[in-house]
Amino acid sequence: MKIKHYILILLAIVATPIIVNFILYSNNPISNWLPTVGLPSEWIGFWGNVAGNILGGLIVLIVLHYTLKENVVLRETQIKTIKYTQQQTWLDNLRQQLIGNYNMLDMQSLSIALYKLQQGEYGEAQISLLSLNRNVEFQANSSSLYFLNDNLFRAEQEYIDSLKRIMTEYGCLVNDSIFFTSILPYLSTKPNMPVMTNEDIVKLAKSSYNAVIESSMHDTETQNYYSENSILPIIMTLDFRDTEFLSKFNELFLEHYQKFSIVHARKYELIRCTENVLRYEEHRINQILE
């Protein structure tokens, strides 16, 4: 019942005794059909009791109405507060996950590993690169669990796309670097070192590439990137009988280093997307209490 209904009832209660009083103290034009029974004072007392009872009930009804309304508002506030608290906990976990994604792209460690690789410290470079590769695989699996909704908002989708892109490029660079740590020690001029033939290099490139493709069997985007940007498919096409094979191999090794700057620049894109998605999620969660 709306407030205007209460006002109408109150007006009716106030107006009724006045109308009755007017009828009782005037000549009854319909006395033959509807005679007045009782004294005016009795009727005034009767309508006073009726008005008092109705008015008291109306007050109780109004109080009950506003009490129920306040209970509904309180219940909605409690539900919003619970939802807000849950979403804040989720946001804290998301923030830690995004920080982990960012820290996973350890450009400094990768730069040092590539420098050691270039300086001929193949064993130390390989240990560092294998550690980076494990971090990439672990972080890639865990980061996909935070946005399971099919209807992603723009900031969320941009972040996922950016993270996927840089992790693929970063992972490809690390994986190709690990391949070189497996080859270059056998191409050195140090005495008493086993020799790896050109054919062995091509075979190792094929097996390494096939392992990557098989591990990303359900990820055509990653497969396409490796087929177009990895060093391995290019080495696979080299003719191991060519006298210029090692010269071409070394050119590919030098070309490999140029990709570091590309991946490093991509990290700034991830920073921007991370800031955007956190701002969006904070704004969305704060709207719960509005």
Side-chain angles (χ1 to χ4, degrees), residues 9-169:
I9 294 175
L10 182 61
L11 292 176
I13 294 173
V14 173
T16 299
I18 297 174
I19 297 173
V20 172
N21 184 66
F22 175 76
I23 295 174
L24 292 173
Y25 281 93
S26 62
N27 294 326
N28 187 352
I30 55 172
S31 58
N32 294 331
W33 297 280
L34 187 62
T36 302
V37 180
L39 299 174
S41 59
E42 294 175 345
W43 277 104
I44 292 174
F46 168 75
W47 284 110
N49 291 331
V50 172
N53 292 331
I54 294 178
L55 185 60
L58 184 61
I59 293 174
V60 172
L61 187 60
I62 293 175
V63 172
L64 179 61
H65 168 76
Y66 281 102
T67 301
L68 293 176
K69 189 175 181 179
E70 289 179 359
N71 289 339
V72 171
V73 173
L74 179 61
R75 184 165 58 252
E76 291 177 352
T77 302
Q78 291 174 340
I79 294 174
K80 287 182 179 180
T81 302
I82 294 173
K83 186 177 180 180
Y84 175 81
T85 303
Q86 292 174 340
Q87 287 291 297
Q88 279 293 343
T89 302
W90 173 84
L91 180 59
D92 292 339
N93 293 332
L94 175 65
R95 184 178 287 105
Q96 294 300 319
Q97 177 65 41
L98 300 189
I99 293 174
N101 292 341
Y102 176 80
N103 292 334
M104 176 272 302
L105 302 168
D106 192 347
M107 295 300 176
Q108 182 176 4
S109 296
L110 179 57
S111 177
I112 294 174
L114 292 177
Y115 176 78
K116 291 180 178 180
L117 180 61
Q118 195 173 28
Q119 296 300 312
E121 301 176 14
Y122 306 119
E124 295 182 13
Q126 188 177 60
I127 293 174
S128 299
L129 291 169
L130 289 173
S131 177
L132 293 175
N133 192 51
R134 284 192 297 269
N135 292 338
V136 170
E137 292 178 354
F138 172 79
Q139 200 71 16
N141 293 332
S142 60
S143 63
S144 62
L145 301 177
Y146 273 83
F147 297 105
L148 299 179
N149 191 352
D150 294 333
N151 300 320
L152 295 176
F153 292 93
R154 180 178 178 181
E156 295 171 336
Q157 188 62 57
E158 286 182 351
Y159 175 82
I160 292 177
D161 293 341
S162 177
L163 179 64
K164 173 67 175 178
R165 186 161 48 249
I166 190 172
M167 290 186 70
T168 302
E169 296 176 0

Side-chain angles (χ1 to χ4, degrees), residues 188-194:
S188 65
T189 57
K190 294 180 180 180
N192 301 324
M193 282 293 296

Side-chain angles (χ1 to χ4, degrees), residues 72-284:
V72 171
V73 173
L74 179 61
R75 184 165 58 252
E76 291 177 352
T77 302
Q78 291 174 340
I79 294 174
K80 287 182 179 180
T81 302
I82 294 173
K83 186 177 180 180
Y84 175 81
T85 303
Q86 292 174 340
Q87 287 291 297
Q88 279 293 343
T89 302
W90 173 84
L91 180 59
D92 292 339
N93 293 332
L94 175 65
R95 184 178 287 105
Q96 294 300 319
Q97 177 65 41
L98 300 189
I99 293 174
N101 292 341
Y102 176 80
N103 292 334
M104 176 272 302
L105 302 168
D106 192 347
M107 295 300 176
Q108 182 176 4
S109 296
L110 179 57
S111 177
I112 294 174
L114 292 177
Y115 176 78
K116 291 180 178 180
L117 180 61
Q118 195 173 28
Q119 296 300 312
E121 301 176 14
Y122 306 119
E124 295 182 13
Q126 188 177 60
I127 293 174
S128 299
L129 291 169
L130 289 173
S131 177
L132 293 175
N133 192 51
R134 284 192 297 269
N135 292 338
V136 170
E137 292 178 354
F138 172 79
Q139 200 71 16
N141 293 332
S142 60
S143 63
S144 62
L145 301 177
Y146 273 83
F147 297 105
L148 299 179
N149 191 352
D150 294 333
N151 300 320
L152 295 176
F153 292 93
R154 180 178 178 181
E156 295 171 336
Q157 188 62 57
E158 286 182 351
Y159 175 82
I160 292 177
D161 293 341
S162 177
L163 179 64
K164 173 67 175 178
R165 186 161 48 249
I166 190 172
M167 290 186 70
T168 302
E169 296 176 0
Y170 182 86
C172 181
L173 180 61
V174 171
N175 187 75
D176 285 354
S177 300
I178 294 174
F179 169 78
F180 282 115
T181 63
S182 304
I183 300 295
L184 294 178
Y186 301 100
L187 300 182
S188 65
T189 57
K190 294 180 180 180
N192 301 324
M193 282 293 296
V195 177
M196 178 175 287
T197 65
N198 298 345
E199 185 176 6
D200 292 335
I201 295 175
V202 174
K203 289 182 179 180
L204 183 58
K206 289 181 179 179
S207 62
S208 299
Y209 178 75
N210 290 335
V212 171
I213 297 302
E214 290 178 3
S215 64
S216 57
M217 184 180 302
H218 304 291
D219 189 352
T220 56
E221 185 177 347
T222 299
Q223 291 180 342
N224 292 335
Y225 181 86
Y226 270 81
S227 64
E228 296 174 1
N229 298 277
S230 174
I231 294 295
L232 301 180
I234 301 176
I235 296 176
M236 290 163 49
T237 61
L238 296 179
D239 185 359
F240 63 86
R241 294 179 294 269
D242 188 355
T243 57
E244 300 294 326
F245 178 87
L246 291 180
S247 177
K248 294 178 180 179
F249 179 84
N250 289 328
E251 290 178 1
L252 292 175
F253 177 59
L254 296 176
E255 179 183 331
H256 171 71
Y257 281 95
Q258 300 176 1
K259 296 182 178 180
F260 176 79
S261 60
I262 299 175
V263 176
H264 189 273
R266 188 78 73 183
K267 190 172 183 179
Y268 295 101
E269 175 188 335
L270 182 63
I271 294 174
R272 177 184 60 80
C273 291
T274 300
E275 293 173 348
N276 289 342
V277 75
L278 287 177
R279 276 197 296 265
Y280 165 76
E281 298 297 350
E282 288 176 353
H283 176 72
R284 179 183 62 80

